[in-house]
Amino acid sequence: MAERIKVTVWDEGIHEKTDQEMRRVYPEGISAVIAGFLNEQEDIQVRIATLDMPEHGLTEDMLSETDVLTWWAHAAHDKVDEVIVDRVQQSVLNGMGLIVLHSGHFSKIFRHLMGTDCSLKWRETGEKERLWLVNPGHPIARGLGEYFELPHTEMYGEFFDVPPPDEVVFISWFAGGDVFRSGCCWQRGLGRVFYFRPGHETFSVYHDANVQKVITNAVRWARKAQQKYDRSCQVRQPLEQLGS
Amino acid sequence: MAERIKVTVWDEGIHEKTDQEMRRVYPEGISAVIAGFLNEQEDIQVRIATLDMPEHGLTEDMLSETDVLTWWAHAAHDKVDEVIVDRVQQSVLNGMGLIVLHSGHFSKIFRHLMGTDCSLKWRETGEKERLWLVNPGHPIARGLGEYFELPHTEMYGEFFDVPPPDEVVFISWFAGGDVFRSGCCWQRGLGRVFYFRPGHETFSVYHDANVQKVITNAVRWARKAQQKYDRSCQVRQPLEQLGS
Amino acid sequence: MAERIKVTVWDEGIHEKTDQEMRRVYPEGISAVIAGFLNEQEDIQVRIATLDMPEHGLTEDMLSETDVLTWWAHAAHDKVDEVIVDRVQQSVLNGMGLIVLHSGHFSKIFRHLMGTDCSLKWRETGEKERLWLVNPGHPIARGLGEYFELPHTEMYGEFFDVPPPDEVVFISWFAGGDVFRSGCCWQRGLGRVFYFRPGHETFSVYHDANVQKVITNAVRWARKAQQKYDRSCQVRQPLEQLGS
Amino acid sequence: MAERIKVTVWDEGIHEKTDQEMRRVYPEGISAVIAGFLNEQEDIQVRIATLDMPEHGLTEDMLSETDVLTWWAHAAHDKVDEVIVDRVQQSVLNGMGLIVLHSGHFSKIFRHLMGTDCSLKWRETGEKERLWLVNPGHPIARGLGEYFELPHTEMYGEFFDVPPPDEVVFISWFAGGDVFRSGCCWQRGLGRVFYFRPGHETFSVYHDANVQKVITNAVRWARKAQQKYDRSCQVRQPLEQLGS
């Protein structure tokens, strides 16, 4: 239990280079903020990987050294190489945790793991969002009250076209009349996937203390559980031939 | 409720042309047997589609006229065109039911909908299988006793690498020492997916009365529920602007 | 499939005798309205049972002739005899469907079947409620749009202390800042349980066309699937002794 | 994260006083063995409580100091006081973990939390059992291979009348022809419940290294997540009145 959780924070890293407003909120990009608050935890160590690195920073070595991968992307889903997507998917099936943030709902990796189109409704009016805990005993809800609020967010609304989650931790209320399953858990192969709705490239969501708490809790929850398990497709000998 | 359920029985139709033993058990192919017992039901009407038809028999028109698609395949998963696979997946997300049979676990359509690699263990020694009902109140279990048996089957064993099913209806016991979640339900988009394990190209499984009862029940369960629902990704107006 | 679904509509029948305002909205009680719209369906036949009947109208005979029981109660949960509660619970475990309405969340039968305390938050300001479909392919959602609204309702809010539902069909948005899982499905034994939030003794909810559609769909969904199944605790003979 | 998990091992402590054969396998009772291997873990501390203590050893103080309770019982389910059962149930709903072992499936506390009758089939011929991992990435499966075996066990068979588990970790194969969902997880209120099938008063199951690993893993999984959360039924003020 003493070993630290190895987290890779992935970020497409596009907007902050071109978008004035994003640079104001996230001068070094969203990955810098996420890596920052995670690194403050004694049991977590973080590396950053971005789209423009060779193999998007997601080499075989990098992934084999990753317990949990967080995924922020927005403007360049189609620029992620299919080979890398397949590699990340395989890593999840082999036990790596994956935390998909906000607009990452439309990333190739999330859509491949879900098997659905992951569509939703949206609105950018900076309205108030309240995230209600609907599973307050869940490890990802640790340390939170009955709800928490974000004063200005982009709205995401139902129907969110994902498979029925194994567990729903948060449901959002939006001032404009919508609801959303904002914290959803799925098992895929040996790996755990968590989708967390809040986030935006200009609303200052990742600086929020409750949002940081949720992502930190999710990292601990999604940590790889099995070190080794042979799950290959294989011919089995019957029990009798095994001498029993 | 009075309208008949439109079922398309899909079959790769490869083995029966080349394999003597399969021709003995299924002289006209597996699709002919499945279409046969389904067509005896007053509330069901069946068409057959095969790999060698144009667009594998799964044209836009054909799919829009299909409430439930059954999928048998074994030797030619890689010969199914990606364009057709995407089209079938979209039909499921729009509400069409899908029943995947036996070796169909490795079909592209099933793997795309699951998001996992769908691997398992197997053994072809013709051993006894007992399928236990673990959800006897489920519509797919209607009319069955506490278990039913197949005297000679190919074994499939766990770990079956699929997402945790929304519902498990059957668990198989095999004489050789293995178990398997043999009847599994998933929701994907607006559509329902049922995987049913039994089946083989030479063991005479699809002639079995209980197997036929399960597939018939599954057709009724998987029938398209919504006739129309707009689930496209879209911008929403807030409640205030709607004048409320 | 041709046999009609036998529904028993249960109603504590207290308020309408004493409450002026309730008499105005439901002059013959809520059960009369529910029985009324269900009876208009060709495939459904309805009887009414109330608290003040002998055995609350829920005799062994009555229950054995019931496919689906609907439960409205509000003021007199503690007046329901434990013996009858046990009998209803046993009927559900043996396959009878149960539809629990609004304040029925605090009925003995619902709490016994859930195993939790079924508490929630509430507010009676007659605010607007929007019920969003989060599983639009579910049979209970058949014929509905992406959401429907009730202009004036009592609010129920999370955390709703029930076991995580097997399926969530609706999530409510309330003008005052709350959300609620308003349509929830559970399997218990061989029976299906549906909890549906809307309803109140003075707000005119059960006259609403969408509410009536949901309850009608739920009756069809909850209908008893198995006619007979022996689920008693029993000693089993091993396979060898059965001569196989 | 550094604080140790406080476990209370509950044991009816009946059989070992009267049964010669049980005394041979568990000379100091089953609780002594369970407490023994749990106490060897650095992150766990254990106390034992038994039926014959005042309040069965489950006082308010004791429960408020318990993160996880394990429950072994077989011969005296009906001797457990309803008041204590209610108190334990309330503790689970408030976040305490509960691990129910083998014949504990018929304990009052398990049946109250499940809402079903928890019946099953059984056979005492000392046959071989194989527990297959069907969710190898689950924390409770940590450190195990694809299956493990117990050479001589009492058989438990399906249909196991419990609500569909939130997660199934193990499925057992029995030489005599039966299967069983042997490791099942449920959320109840804020607490986590794990049922683990293996165990018997004379077969030497709790001395098995894999069984001990599972129970140890389950203790870590079931540990209370929230320290405080107000889940009482309450009237809520609308958002407007909160000044937002």
Side-chain angles (χ1 to χ4, degrees):
Chain A
M1 300 286 275
E3 232 179 287
R4 289 202 289 168
I5 307 168
K6 284 169 269 184
V7 177
T8 299
V9 171
W10 196 86
D11 183 351
E12 62 180 30
I14 300 271
H15 270 272
E16 62 267 38
K17 290 177 189 148
T18 59
D19 186 309
Q20 280 285 95
E21 207 180 334
M22 183 166 181
R23 248 202 321 263
R24 190 177 48 76
V25 185
Y26 297 111
E28 296 171 82
I30 283 175
S31 54
V33 175
I34 295 175
F37 67 75
L38 288 177
N39 255 332
E40 286 170 20
Q41 304 295 319
E42 277 192 13
D43 57 336
I44 296 175
Q45 63 184 76
V46 185
R47 287 189 295 187
I48 289 174
T50 54
L51 184 66
D52 57 4
M53 291 180 178
E55 307 184 40
H56 311 326
L58 301 170
T59 59
E60 292 280 6
D61 276 2
M62 187 74 166
L63 288 173
S64 74
E65 292 278 309
T66 299
D67 293 317
V68 181
L69 176 66
T70 71
W71 196 273
W72 162 263
H74 179 231
H77 297 313
D78 62 322
K79 296 215 163 52
V80 181
D81 193 320
E82 284 287 348
V83 173
I84 306 301
V85 174
D86 289 350
R87 187 189 290 165
V88 173
Q89 182 169 12
Q90 210 53 46
S91 294
V92 172
L93 299 181
N94 285 329
M96 184 181 73
L98 177 68
I99 298 174
V100 176
L101 298 168
H102 191 64
S103 43
H105 77 93
F106 254 172
S107 62
K108 288 180 185 172
I109 179 60
F110 188 59
R111 298 176 79 177
H112 281 27
L113 283 164
M114 294 294 106
T116 56
D117 74 26
C118 302
S119 56
L120 47 78
K121 303 184 175 66
W122 85 93
R123 180 172 59 229
E124 278 188 282
T125 55
E127 70 204 87
K128 181 194 277 278
E129 174 180 9
R130 251 193 197 177
L131 293 102
W132 286 94
L133 273 66
V134 297
N135 190 341
H138 198 282
I140 294 179
R142 187 188 282 261
L144 298 170
E146 57 184 1
Y147 67 82
F148 65 93
E149 293 189 351
L150 298 168
H152 303 290
T153 59
E154 179 184 14
M155 184 283 286
Y156 277 8
E158 296 281 351
F159 170 59
F160 183 24
D161 188 7
V162 287
D166 301 341
E167 298 170 305
V168 178
V169 186
F170 306 107
I171 294 178
S172 286
W173 174 96
F174 291 94
D178 297 79
V179 298
F180 199 74
R181 291 168 291 171
S182 285
C184 297
C185 304
W186 295 270
Q187 185 77 30
R188 286 296 176 271
L190 273 68
R192 287 175 157 187
V193 179
F194 181 62
Y195 175 78
F196 189 47
R197 194 212 80 78
H200 191 258
E201 62 279 8
T202 60
F203 297 121
S204 176
V205 169
Y206 294 116
H207 295 295
D208 180 85
N210 287 310
V211 167
Q212 295 185 359
K213 196 174 286 182
V214 171
I215 296 174
T216 307
N217 287 342
V219 160
R220 293 190 182 115
W221 171 85
R223 154 182 238 179
K224 204 173 186 165
Q226 279 276 2
Q227 291 318 302
K228 275 183 194 173
Y229 182 86
D230 178 7
R231 45 188 275 293
S232 61
C233 198
Q234 56 184 267
V235 181
R236 292 251 337 136
Q237 293 309 305
L239 195 58
E240 291 80 0
Q241 300 180 17
L242 296 171
S244 51
Chain B
M1 302 284 275
E3 233 179 285
R4 289 202 290 168
I5 307 168
K6 285 169 269 186
V7 177
T8 300
V9 171
W10 195 85
D11 182 353
E12 63 181 30
I14 300 269
H15 269 271
E16 62 267 39
K17 290 177 187 147
T18 59
D19 186 309
Q20 280 286 96
E21 208 181 332
M22 183 167 179
R23 243 197 330 258
R24 192 177 47 77
V25 184
Y26 298 110
E28 297 171 83
I30 283 175
S31 55
V33 174
I34 294 176
F37 68 75
L38 287 177
N39 256 331
E40 285 169 21
Q41 304 295 320
E42 277 193 13
D43 58 335
I44 296 175
Q45 63 185 75
V46 185
R47 288 189 295 186
I48 289 174
T50 54
L51 183 66
D52 57 4
M53 291 179 177
E55 307 183 43
H56 311 325
L58 300 170
T59 59
E60 293 280 9
D61 276 2
M62 188 74 166
L63 288 173
S64 73
E65 293 279 306
T66 299
D67 292 317
V68 181
L69 175 67
T70 71
W71 196 273
W72 162 263
H74 178 232
H77 297 313
D78 61 322
K79 297 215 162 53
V80 182
D81 193 322
E82 285 287 348
V83 173
I84 307 301
V85 174
D86 289 350
R87 186 189 292 165
V88 173
Q89 182 169 11
Q90 210 53 46
S91 295
V92 172
L93 298 182
N94 285 329
M96 184 182 73
L98 177 68
I99 298 174
V100 176
L101 298 167
H102 190 65
S103 43
H105 76 93
F106 255 172
S107 62
K108 288 179 184 173
I109 180 60
F110 188 59
R111 298 176 80 178
H112 280 28
L113 283 164
M114 294 294 107
T116 57
D117 75 24
C118 302
S119 55
L120 47 79
K121 303 184 176 67
W122 85 93
R123 180 172 60 228
E124 279 187 280
T125 55
E127 70 203 87
K128 182 195 276 278
E129 174 180 9
R130 251 193 197 178
L131 292 102
W132 286 94
L133 274 66
V134 297
N135 191 341
H138 198 281
I140 294 179
R142 188 187 280 263
L144 297 169
E146 57 185 1
Y147 66 83
F148 65 93
E149 292 189 351
L150 298 168
H152 303 291
T153 59
E154 179 185 14
M155 184 283 286
Y156 277 9
E158 297 280 349
F159 171 58
F160 183 25
D161 188 7
V162 287
D166 301 341
E167 298 171 304
V168 177
V169 186
F170 306 107
I171 295 177
S172 286
W173 173 97
F174 291 95
D178 297 79
V179 298
F180 199 75
R181 290 168 291 172
S182 285
C184 297
C185 304
W186 295 269
Q187 185 77 29
R188 285 295 177 272
L190 273 69
R192 287 176 154 186
V193 179
F194 182 61
Y195 175 78
F196 190 46
R197 195 214 78 78
H200 191 259
E201 62 279 8
T202 61
F203 297 122
S204 174
V205 169
Y206 294 116
H207 295 294
D208 180 85
N210 286 310
V211 167
Q212 295 185 359
K213 195 173 287 182
V214 171
I215 296 173
T216 307
N217 287 342
V219 160
R220 293 190 181 115
W221 171 84
R223 151 181 241 179
K224 203 173 185 166
Q226 278 277 3
Q227 292 319 304
K228 274 183 195 174
Y229 182 85
D230 179 7
R231 47 189 272 294
S232 61
C233 198
Q234 55 184 265
V235 182
R236 292 251 338 136
Q237 293 309 306
L239 196 57
E240 290 79 0
Q241 300 180 16
L242 296 170
S244 51
Chain C
M1 301 287 274
E3 231 179 287
R4 288 201 291 167
I5 307 169
K6 285 169 270 187
V7 177
T8 299
V9 170
W10 195 85
D11 183 352
E12 63 181 29
I14 300 269
H15 270 271
E16 61 268 37
K17 290 175 187 148
T18 59
D19 188 309
Q20 280 285 96
E21 207 181 334
M22 183 167 180
R23 251 206 314 266
R24 191 177 48 76
V25 185
Y26 298 110
E28 297 171 82
I30 283 175
S31 53
V33 174
I34 295 175
F37 67 75
L38 288 177
N39 256 331
E40 285 170 21
Q41 304 294 320
E42 276 191 15
D43 57 337
I44 297 175
Q45 63 185 77
V46 185
R47 287 188 297 187
I48 289 174
T50 54
L51 184 66
D52 57 4
M53 291 179 178
E55 306 184 43
H56 311 326
L58 300 169
T59 59
E60 293 280 7
D61 277 2
M62 187 74 168
L63 288 173
S64 74
E65 292 279 306
T66 300
D67 293 318
V68 180
L69 175 67
T70 71
W71 196 274
W72 162 264
H74 178 233
H77 297 313
D78 61 322
K79 296 214 164 51
V80 182
D81 193 322
E82 285 286 348
V83 172
I84 308 301
V85 174
D86 289 351
R87 188 189 290 164
V88 173
Q89 181 169 13
Q90 211 52 48
S91 295
V92 172
L93 299 182
N94 285 329
M96 184 181 74
L98 177 68
I99 298 174
V100 176
L101 298 168
H102 190 64
S103 42
H105 77 92
F106 254 171
S107 62
K108 288 180 184 173
I109 180 60
F110 188 59
R111 297 175 81 177
H112 281 28
L113 283 165
M114 295 293 107
T116 56
D117 74 26
C118 303
S119 55
L120 46 78
K121 302 183 176 68
W122 84 93
R123 180 172 58 229
E124 280 188 279
T125 55
E127 70 204 87
K128 183 194 275 279
E129 174 179 9
R130 251 194 196 177
L131 292 103
W132 286 94
L133 274 66
V134 297
N135 190 340
H138 198 281
I140 294 179
R142 186 188 282 262
L144 298 169
E146 58 184 1
Y147 67 83
F148 65 93
E149 292 188 351
L150 297 168
H152 303 290
T153 58
E154 179 185 14
M155 183 281 287
Y156 277 9
E158 298 281 350
F159 170 60
F160 184 24
D161 188 7
V162 287
D166 301 341
E167 298 170 306
V168 177
V169 186
F170 306 107
I171 294 178
S172 286
W173 174 97
F174 291 95
D178 296 78
V179 298
F180 199 75
R181 290 168 292 171
S182 285
C184 298
C185 304
W186 295 270
Q187 185 77 29
R188 284 297 176 272
L190 273 67
R192 287 175 157 187
V193 180
F194 181 62
Y195 175 78
F196 188 47
R197 195 212 80 78
H200 191 259
E201 60 280 6
T202 60
F203 297 123
S204 175
V205 169
Y206 295 116
H207 295 295
D208 181 85
N210 287 310
V211 166
Q212 295 186 358
K213 196 174 284 183
V214 170
I215 296 174
T216 308
N217 287 343
V219 160
R220 292 189 182 116
W221 171 83
R223 152 180 240 181
K224 205 172 185 166
Q226 279 278 1
Q227 290 319 302
K228 276 182 193 176
Y229 181 86
D230 179 7
R231 47 189 273 293
S232 61
C233 198
Q234 55 184 267
V235 182
R236 292 251 339 136
Q237 294 309 306
L239 196 58
E240 290 78 1
Q241 298 179 19
L242 296 171
S244 51
Chain D
M1 301 284 275
E3 232 178 288
R4 288 201 292 169
I5 307 168
K6 285 170 271 186
V7 178
T8 299
V9 170
W10 196 86
D11 183 352
E12 63 181 29
I14 301 271
H15 269 271
E16 62 267 38
K17 290 175 187 148
T18 59
D19 187 309
Q20 281 285 96
E21 208 181 333
M22 184 168 180
R23 230 169 12 231
R24 193 177 48 76
V25 184
Y26 297 110
E28 297 172 82
I30 282 174
S31 54
V33 175
I34 294 175
F37 68 75
L38 288 176
N39 256 331
E40 285 170 20
Q41 304 295 320
E42 277 192 14
D43 57 336
I44 296 176
Q45 64 185 75
V46 185
R47 287 187 297 186
I48 288 174
T50 55
L51 183 66
D52 58 4
M53 290 179 177
E55 306 183 42
H56 310 326
L58 301 170
T59 59
E60 293 280 7
D61 277 2
M62 188 75 168
L63 288 173
S64 73
E65 293 278 307
T66 299
D67 292 317
V68 181
L69 175 67
T70 71
W71 197 272
W72 162 263
H74 179 231
H77 297 312
D78 62 322
K79 296 216 164 51
V80 181
D81 193 321
E82 283 286 348
V83 172
I84 308 300
V85 174
D86 289 350
R87 187 188 291 165
V88 173
Q89 182 169 10
Q90 210 52 46
S91 295
V92 172
L93 299 182
N94 285 328
M96 183 181 74
L98 177 69
I99 298 174
V100 176
L101 298 168
H102 191 63
S103 42
H105 76 93
F106 254 172
S107 62
K108 288 180 184 173
I109 179 61
F110 188 59
R111 298 176 79 177
H112 281 29
L113 283 164
M114 294 293 107
T116 57
D117 74 26
C118 302
S119 56
L120 47 77
K121 303 183 176 68
W122 85 93
R123 180 171 58 230
E124 279 187 280
T125 55
E127 69 204 87
K128 182 194 276 279
E129 174 180 8
R130 250 193 197 178
L131 292 102
W132 286 93
L133 274 66
V134 297
N135 189 341
H138 198 280
I140 294 179
R142 188 187 280 261
L144 297 170
E146 57 183 2
Y147 67 82
F148 65 94
E149 293 189 351
L150 298 168
H152 304 292
T153 59
E154 179 184 13
M155 183 283 286
Y156 277 8
E158 296 281 350
F159 168 61
F160 183 24
D161 188 7
V162 286
D166 301 340
E167 299 171 305
V168 177
V169 186
F170 305 107
I171 294 177
S172 285
W173 173 97
F174 291 95
D178 296 79
V179 298
F180 199 74
R181 290 167 291 171
S182 285
C184 297
C185 304
W186 295 271
Q187 185 77 30
R188 285 295 176 273
L190 274 67
R192 287 175 157 188
V193 179
F194 181 61
Y195 175 78
F196 189 46
R197 195 214 79 78
H200 191 257
E201 61 280 5
T202 61
F203 297 122
S204 175
V205 168
Y206 295 116
H207 295 295
D208 180 86
N210 287 310
V211 167
Q212 296 186 357
K213 196 174 285 181
V214 170
I215 295 173
T216 307
N217 287 342
V219 160
R220 291 189 183 118
W221 171 84
R223 156 183 236 175
K224 205 173 185 163
Q226 279 279 3
Q227 290 320 303
K228 276 183 195 173
Y229 181 86
D230 178 8
R231 47 188 272 293
S232 62
C233 198
Q234 55 185 265
V235 182
R236 291 244 349 129
Q237 294 309 306
L239 196 58
E240 290 80 359
Q241 300 179 17
L242 295 171
S244 51

